[in-house]
Amino acid sequence: MLLTLVGNASLQVRSHAHTLPPSPSLVYYCTGAGGSYYHKLKTCSELRGCNGVVMPLTPTTAKSKGLSACPVCMSSQSPSAAPSSSSSTPAATAAPVAAIASTASSTASSSTSPEASRYLEKAERAQEKARKEMEKAERKRAKEEKKREAAEMKLRAKQMKEEAKARKQAIKEARQAAKEAEREAKAKRQEARESRRETASLKRDTETRMRQEASDLRVAAEDKRLESEELQREARELKREAAARKKAIALEKKRLEAEQRRLENELKRQAALQKQEAERMKREAEAIRREAKEQRRAAKEAEKAAKAMRKEARRM
């Protein structure tokens, strides 16, 4: 029975050694100021404001550095639970062995002393074997964990090397861009100097032209003022002449109106005289017509008398 129990204990130890939990994955932390947490995800929102470098490490190393689990990206299933489970594995595995040893000791005490001592020795050997297998499994697990950590670190180093290469290329491109920008800035400074010189020359020319134009404008303004004064004097003279002419025109109008009235009166008088003369001439014409009529009648009578005399003369 004791051998069966010892064999079962060794099998349980082997099964516990083979069912050890896998090593925890890497976590990340910020090397800058304020990096007091380790994070499960590199894309955690708490790492966006990192002013240093985001570095990978194991949860055990993170705890040894005094870092705390991030309350945002870490949970009960995060790698932070792995060290506690791995640390509690030897105690959980040692419990069956201790139970088997106590059973063996109770069984041995119930039998004879030589057999009990043999059973105890076998149990101790089995316990020692189980302990050695546990240590071997722990070393294997630690070795695998270190191997995985080394592989992950190697992968991270490769990524960092590629990032460094990309940064180097970016720095090179930035330097080239800076040189190009410096050349462009130099050319722009040269253009700016040329532009300033041209601007200064244009400014001097403009100031000279403006002074000349201002002088011309002052002269023109003075000429305009003199011309305006002359025009004002002429306007006053014209105004006086217009007033005198208006007065003369008014007097001439009055004179012309008086002359027109006199002429109208004279025309009326002459019309009356002409009317009287026409009536006189009409009377004279009537008298002349009557006289002519009398003369024609007398002429006819004289002609008749002449005819009669000619007849009488022919008869004689």
Short mmCIF file of all heavy atoms in Angstrom, two decimals, residues 26-75:
data_model
loop_
_atom_site.label_atom_id
_atom_site.label_comp_id
_atom_site.label_asym_id
_atom_site.label_seq_id
_atom_site.Cartn_x
_atom_site.Cartn_y
_atom_site.Cartn_z
N LEU A 26 5.39 39.67 -22.23
CA LEU A 26 6.05 40.93 -21.88
C LEU A 26 5.03 42.02 -21.62
O LEU A 26 3.93 42.02 -22.17
CB LEU A 26 6.99 41.35 -23.00
CG LEU A 26 8.21 40.47 -23.24
CD1 LEU A 26 8.99 40.99 -24.42
CD2 LEU A 26 9.09 40.42 -22.00
N VAL A 27 5.40 42.96 -20.78
CA VAL A 27 4.63 44.17 -20.54
C VAL A 27 5.49 45.37 -20.92
O VAL A 27 6.68 45.21 -21.24
CB VAL A 27 4.15 44.27 -19.08
CG1 VAL A 27 3.17 43.16 -18.76
CG2 VAL A 27 5.34 44.20 -18.12
N TYR A 28 4.92 46.56 -20.86
CA TYR A 28 5.63 47.74 -21.32
C TYR A 28 5.54 48.84 -20.26
O TYR A 28 4.56 48.92 -19.51
CB TYR A 28 5.01 48.25 -22.63
CG TYR A 28 5.00 47.22 -23.73
CD1 TYR A 28 3.90 46.38 -23.90
CD2 TYR A 28 6.09 47.06 -24.57
CE1 TYR A 28 3.88 45.42 -24.90
CE2 TYR A 28 6.08 46.10 -25.57
CZ TYR A 28 4.98 45.28 -25.73
OH TYR A 28 4.98 44.34 -26.71
N TYR A 29 6.59 49.67 -20.25
CA TYR A 29 6.57 50.81 -19.33
C TYR A 29 7.32 51.96 -19.98
O TYR A 29 8.12 51.76 -20.92
CB TYR A 29 7.18 50.44 -17.98
CG TYR A 29 8.70 50.49 -17.94
CD1 TYR A 29 9.38 51.54 -17.33
CD2 TYR A 29 9.45 49.49 -18.53
CE1 TYR A 29 10.76 51.57 -17.30
CE2 TYR A 29 10.83 49.51 -18.52
CZ TYR A 29 11.49 50.55 -17.90
OH TYR A 29 12.86 50.59 -17.87
N CYS A 30 7.04 53.16 -19.50
CA CYS A 30 7.65 54.38 -20.04
C CYS A 30 8.86 54.75 -19.19
O CYS A 30 8.78 54.79 -17.96
CB CYS A 30 6.63 55.53 -20.06
SG CYS A 30 7.30 57.09 -20.65
N THR A 31 9.99 55.03 -19.87
CA THR A 31 11.22 55.38 -19.14
C THR A 31 11.25 56.84 -18.73
O THR A 31 12.15 57.27 -18.01
CB THR A 31 12.44 55.10 -20.02
OG1 THR A 31 12.33 55.88 -21.21
CG2 THR A 31 12.54 53.63 -20.38
N GLY A 32 10.27 57.64 -19.20
CA GLY A 32 10.27 59.06 -18.84
C GLY A 32 9.71 59.30 -17.45
O GLY A 32 9.39 58.37 -16.69
N ALA A 33 9.62 60.59 -17.12
CA ALA A 33 9.10 60.97 -15.81
C ALA A 33 7.62 60.63 -15.72
O ALA A 33 6.87 60.79 -16.68
CB ALA A 33 9.30 62.47 -15.58
N GLY A 34 7.21 60.13 -14.55
CA GLY A 34 5.81 59.80 -14.35
C GLY A 34 5.45 58.39 -14.77
O GLY A 34 4.28 58.02 -14.74
N GLY A 35 6.44 57.56 -15.21
CA GLY A 35 6.16 56.19 -15.63
C GLY A 35 6.13 55.26 -14.43
O GLY A 35 7.10 54.52 -14.19
N SER A 36 5.06 55.27 -13.66
CA SER A 36 4.95 54.44 -12.45
C SER A 36 4.08 53.22 -12.67
O SER A 36 3.82 52.49 -11.72
CB SER A 36 4.38 55.28 -11.31
OG SER A 36 3.10 55.78 -11.67
N TYR A 37 3.60 52.97 -13.93
CA TYR A 37 2.77 51.80 -14.22
C TYR A 37 3.42 50.98 -15.31
O TYR A 37 4.17 51.49 -16.15
CB TYR A 37 1.37 52.24 -14.69
CG TYR A 37 0.55 52.96 -13.64
CD1 TYR A 37 0.45 54.34 -13.63
CD2 TYR A 37 -0.12 52.24 -12.66
CE1 TYR A 37 -0.29 55.00 -12.68
CE2 TYR A 37 -0.88 52.89 -11.70
CZ TYR A 37 -0.96 54.27 -11.71
OH TYR A 37 -1.70 54.90 -10.76
N TYR A 38 3.12 49.65 -15.31
CA TYR A 38 3.46 48.81 -16.45
C TYR A 38 2.15 48.43 -17.13
O TYR A 38 1.12 48.29 -16.49
CB TYR A 38 4.28 47.58 -16.06
CG TYR A 38 3.59 46.61 -15.13
CD1 TYR A 38 2.83 45.55 -15.63
CD2 TYR A 38 3.73 46.72 -13.75
CE1 TYR A 38 2.20 44.65 -14.77
CE2 TYR A 38 3.11 45.83 -12.89
CZ TYR A 38 2.35 44.79 -13.41
OH TYR A 38 1.73 43.92 -12.57
N HIS A 39 2.22 48.29 -18.50
CA HIS A 39 1.03 48.18 -19.31
C HIS A 39 1.04 46.89 -20.11
O HIS A 39 2.11 46.44 -20.57
CB HIS A 39 0.92 49.37 -20.26
CG HIS A 39 1.00 50.70 -19.56
ND1 HIS A 39 -0.11 51.40 -19.17
CD2 HIS A 39 2.09 51.44 -19.18
CE1 HIS A 39 0.28 52.53 -18.58
NE2 HIS A 39 1.60 52.56 -18.58
N LYS A 40 -0.15 46.32 -20.30
CA LYS A 40 -0.27 45.10 -21.08
C LYS A 40 -0.14 45.40 -22.57
O LYS A 40 0.42 44.61 -23.33
CB LYS A 40 -1.62 44.44 -20.79
CG LYS A 40 -1.87 43.15 -21.55
CD LYS A 40 -3.22 42.58 -21.19
CE LYS A 40 -3.49 41.29 -21.96
NZ LYS A 40 -4.80 40.71 -21.63
N LEU A 41 -0.69 46.54 -22.99
CA LEU A 41 -0.70 46.91 -24.40
C LEU A 41 0.22 48.09 -24.65
O LEU A 41 0.25 49.04 -23.86
CB LEU A 41 -2.12 47.29 -24.84
CG LEU A 41 -3.19 46.20 -24.65
CD1 LEU A 41 -4.56 46.75 -24.98
CD2 LEU A 41 -2.88 44.99 -25.50
N LYS A 42 0.95 48.01 -25.75
CA LYS A 42 1.83 49.13 -26.12
C LYS A 42 1.02 50.33 -26.61
O LYS A 42 1.50 51.47 -26.58
CB LYS A 42 2.80 48.67 -27.21
CG LYS A 42 3.92 49.66 -27.50
CD LYS A 42 4.86 49.12 -28.53
CE LYS A 42 5.98 50.11 -28.84
NZ LYS A 42 6.92 49.60 -29.84
N THR A 43 -0.23 50.05 -27.04
CA THR A 43 -1.09 51.12 -27.55
C THR A 43 -2.02 51.66 -26.47
O THR A 43 -3.04 52.27 -26.79
CB THR A 43 -1.92 50.59 -28.72
OG1 THR A 43 -2.69 49.46 -28.27
CG2 THR A 43 -1.04 50.19 -29.88
N CYS A 44 -1.69 51.41 -25.20
CA CYS A 44 -2.53 51.90 -24.11
C CYS A 44 -2.60 53.43 -24.15
O CYS A 44 -1.62 54.10 -24.49
CB CYS A 44 -2.00 51.42 -22.76
SG CYS A 44 -2.98 51.99 -21.36
N SER A 45 -3.77 53.95 -23.81
CA SER A 45 -3.95 55.41 -23.86
C SER A 45 -3.06 56.12 -22.85
O SER A 45 -2.74 57.30 -23.03
CB SER A 45 -5.42 55.75 -23.58
OG SER A 45 -5.81 55.27 -22.30
N GLU A 46 -2.63 55.43 -21.78
CA GLU A 46 -1.77 56.07 -20.78
C GLU A 46 -0.35 56.25 -21.29
O GLU A 46 0.42 57.01 -20.71
CB GLU A 46 -1.76 55.22 -19.49
CG GLU A 46 -3.09 55.12 -18.79
CD GLU A 46 -3.53 56.46 -18.23
OE1 GLU A 46 -2.65 57.23 -17.81
OE2 GLU A 46 -4.74 56.74 -18.21
N LEU A 47 0.01 55.50 -22.38
CA LEU A 47 1.37 55.61 -22.94
C LEU A 47 1.47 56.66 -24.04
O LEU A 47 2.55 56.90 -24.56
CB LEU A 47 1.82 54.25 -23.51
CG LEU A 47 2.19 53.18 -22.48
CD1 LEU A 47 2.45 51.86 -23.18
CD2 LEU A 47 3.40 53.60 -21.66
N ARG A 48 0.33 57.29 -24.41
CA ARG A 48 0.38 58.26 -25.51
C ARG A 48 1.16 59.51 -25.13
O ARG A 48 1.78 60.13 -25.97
CB ARG A 48 -1.04 58.64 -25.92
CG ARG A 48 -1.78 57.48 -26.57
CD ARG A 48 -3.20 57.86 -26.91
NE ARG A 48 -3.95 56.72 -27.44
CZ ARG A 48 -5.25 56.73 -27.68
NH1 ARG A 48 -5.96 57.84 -27.44
NH2 ARG A 48 -5.86 55.65 -28.15
N GLY A 49 1.11 59.88 -23.87
CA GLY A 49 1.82 61.09 -23.46
C GLY A 49 3.21 60.81 -22.90
O GLY A 49 3.74 61.62 -22.14
N CYS A 50 3.79 59.64 -23.27
CA CYS A 50 5.12 59.28 -22.73
C CYS A 50 6.17 60.22 -23.30
O CYS A 50 6.27 60.40 -24.52
CB CYS A 50 5.43 57.83 -23.09
SG CYS A 50 7.08 57.30 -22.55
N ASN A 51 6.97 60.81 -22.41
CA ASN A 51 8.03 61.72 -22.85
C ASN A 51 9.39 61.03 -22.86
O ASN A 51 10.42 61.70 -22.89
CB ASN A 51 8.08 62.96 -21.97
CG ASN A 51 8.22 62.61 -20.49
OD1 ASN A 51 8.32 61.42 -20.13
ND2 ASN A 51 8.24 63.60 -19.62
N GLY A 52 9.38 59.68 -22.81
CA GLY A 52 10.63 58.91 -22.85
C GLY A 52 10.54 57.84 -23.93
O GLY A 52 10.03 58.07 -25.02
N VAL A 53 11.05 56.62 -23.60
CA VAL A 53 11.03 55.50 -24.53
C VAL A 53 10.18 54.40 -23.91
O VAL A 53 10.29 54.11 -22.72
CB VAL A 53 12.46 54.98 -24.81
CG1 VAL A 53 12.43 53.82 -25.78
CG2 VAL A 53 13.31 56.11 -25.37
N VAL A 54 9.32 53.77 -24.72
CA VAL A 54 8.49 52.65 -24.25
C VAL A 54 9.32 51.38 -24.35
O VAL A 54 9.70 50.95 -25.45
CB VAL A 54 7.20 52.55 -25.07
CG1 VAL A 54 6.37 51.37 -24.60
CG2 VAL A 54 6.40 53.83 -24.99
N MET A 55 9.65 50.75 -23.21
CA MET A 55 10.53 49.58 -23.16
C MET A 55 9.74 48.35 -22.73
O MET A 55 8.85 48.43 -21.88
CB MET A 55 11.67 49.81 -22.17
CG MET A 55 12.63 50.91 -22.60
SD MET A 55 13.54 50.50 -24.09
CE MET A 55 14.53 49.14 -23.47
N PRO A 56 10.07 47.13 -23.28
CA PRO A 56 9.42 45.90 -22.83
C PRO A 56 10.17 45.27 -21.66
O PRO A 56 11.38 45.44 -21.52
CB PRO A 56 9.50 45.01 -24.08
CG PRO A 56 10.75 45.44 -24.74
CD PRO A 56 10.90 46.90 -24.47
N LEU A 57 9.45 44.52 -20.82
CA LEU A 57 10.06 43.77 -19.71
C LEU A 57 9.02 42.78 -19.21
O LEU A 57 7.85 42.82 -19.58
CB LEU A 57 10.51 44.71 -18.59
CG LEU A 57 9.46 45.34 -17.68
CD1 LEU A 57 10.14 46.01 -16.50
CD2 LEU A 57 8.61 46.36 -18.39
N THR A 58 9.47 41.86 -18.34
CA THR A 58 8.56 40.87 -17.78
C THR A 58 7.82 41.47 -16.60
O THR A 58 8.28 42.42 -15.99
CB THR A 58 9.35 39.63 -17.33
OG1 THR A 58 10.29 40.02 -16.33
CG2 THR A 58 10.09 39.00 -18.50
N PRO A 59 6.67 40.89 -16.26
CA PRO A 59 5.93 41.39 -15.10
C PRO A 59 6.73 41.30 -13.80
O PRO A 59 6.62 42.17 -12.95
CB PRO A 59 4.69 40.51 -15.06
CG PRO A 59 4.50 40.03 -16.46
CD PRO A 59 5.87 39.88 -17.01
N THR A 60 7.55 40.24 -13.65
CA THR A 60 8.36 40.10 -12.43
C THR A 60 9.35 41.23 -12.31
O THR A 60 9.53 41.84 -11.24
CB THR A 60 9.09 38.75 -12.44
OG1 THR A 60 8.15 37.71 -12.66
CG2 THR A 60 9.83 38.50 -11.13
N THR A 61 10.02 41.52 -13.44
CA THR A 61 10.97 42.64 -13.44
C THR A 61 10.26 43.96 -13.17
O THR A 61 10.78 44.83 -12.47
CB THR A 61 11.70 42.71 -14.78
OG1 THR A 61 12.25 41.42 -15.09
CG2 THR A 61 12.82 43.73 -14.75
N ALA A 62 9.03 44.10 -13.75
CA ALA A 62 8.27 45.32 -13.52
C ALA A 62 7.94 45.49 -12.05
O ALA A 62 8.06 46.59 -11.49
CB ALA A 62 7.00 45.30 -14.36
N LYS A 63 7.55 44.37 -11.38
CA LYS A 63 7.24 44.47 -9.96
C LYS A 63 8.48 44.74 -9.14
O LYS A 63 8.45 45.47 -8.14
CB LYS A 63 6.57 43.18 -9.49
CG LYS A 63 5.12 43.05 -9.95
CD LYS A 63 4.45 41.89 -9.27
CE LYS A 63 2.97 41.86 -9.62
NZ LYS A 63 2.26 40.78 -8.90
N SER A 64 9.63 44.14 -9.58
CA SER A 64 10.87 44.39 -8.84
C SER A 64 11.31 45.84 -8.95
O SER A 64 12.00 46.36 -8.09
CB SER A 64 11.98 43.46 -9.35
OG SER A 64 12.29 43.79 -10.71
N LYS A 65 10.90 46.52 -10.06
CA LYS A 65 11.21 47.94 -10.21
C LYS A 65 10.26 48.84 -9.43
O LYS A 65 10.39 50.05 -9.43
CB LYS A 65 11.16 48.33 -11.69
CG LYS A 65 12.31 47.82 -12.53
CD LYS A 65 12.14 48.25 -13.98
CE LYS A 65 13.37 47.89 -14.80
NZ LYS A 65 14.52 48.72 -14.46
N GLY A 66 9.25 48.23 -8.80
CA GLY A 66 8.29 49.01 -8.03
C GLY A 66 7.17 49.59 -8.86
O GLY A 66 6.50 50.53 -8.42
N LEU A 67 6.95 49.02 -10.07
CA LEU A 67 5.89 49.52 -10.94
C LEU A 67 4.57 48.85 -10.57
O LEU A 67 4.54 47.70 -10.13
CB LEU A 67 6.22 49.25 -12.41
CG LEU A 67 7.52 49.85 -12.93
CD1 LEU A 67 7.76 49.43 -14.38
CD2 LEU A 67 7.48 51.37 -12.84
N SER A 68 3.47 49.57 -10.81
CA SER A 68 2.13 49.06 -10.53
C SER A 68 1.41 48.77 -11.84
O SER A 68 1.76 49.30 -12.89
CB SER A 68 1.32 50.09 -9.73
OG SER A 68 2.00 50.43 -8.54
N ALA A 69 0.43 47.86 -11.73
CA ALA A 69 -0.34 47.50 -12.92
C ALA A 69 -1.20 48.67 -13.36
O ALA A 69 -1.77 49.39 -12.55
CB ALA A 69 -1.21 46.28 -12.63
N CYS A 70 -1.28 48.87 -14.69
CA CYS A 70 -2.10 49.97 -15.24
C CYS A 70 -3.57 49.67 -14.99
O CYS A 70 -4.05 48.59 -15.35
CB CYS A 70 -1.82 50.13 -16.73
SG CYS A 70 -2.87 51.36 -17.52
N PRO A 71 -4.31 50.61 -14.42
CA PRO A 71 -5.75 50.36 -14.18
C PRO A 71 -6.59 50.40 -15.45
O PRO A 71 -7.75 50.04 -15.41
CB PRO A 71 -6.13 51.50 -13.24
CG PRO A 71 -5.17 52.59 -13.54
CD PRO A 71 -3.89 51.92 -13.90
N VAL A 72 -5.99 50.83 -16.59
CA VAL A 72 -6.75 50.95 -17.82
C VAL A 72 -6.71 49.66 -18.64
O VAL A 72 -7.74 49.11 -19.02
CB VAL A 72 -6.23 52.14 -18.67
CG1 VAL A 72 -6.98 52.23 -19.99
CG2 VAL A 72 -6.38 53.43 -17.89
N CYS A 73 -5.48 49.16 -18.90
CA CYS A 73 -5.34 48.02 -19.81
C CYS A 73 -5.08 46.70 -19.09
O CYS A 73 -5.08 45.65 -19.73
CB CYS A 73 -4.21 48.29 -20.82
SG CYS A 73 -2.60 48.52 -20.05
N MET A 74 -4.81 46.69 -17.79
CA MET A 74 -4.55 45.45 -17.05
C MET A 74 -5.85 44.99 -16.39
O MET A 74 -6.65 45.80 -15.91
CB MET A 74 -3.48 45.67 -15.98
CG MET A 74 -2.14 46.12 -16.54
SD MET A 74 -1.35 44.92 -17.61
CE MET A 74 -0.83 43.72 -16.38
N SER A 75 -6.07 43.68 -16.35
CA SER A 75 -7.26 43.09 -15.73
C SER A 75 -6.86 41.87 -14.94
O SER A 75 -5.67 41.56 -14.78
CB SER A 75 -8.29 42.74 -16.81
OG SER A 75 -7.76 41.74 -17.67
#
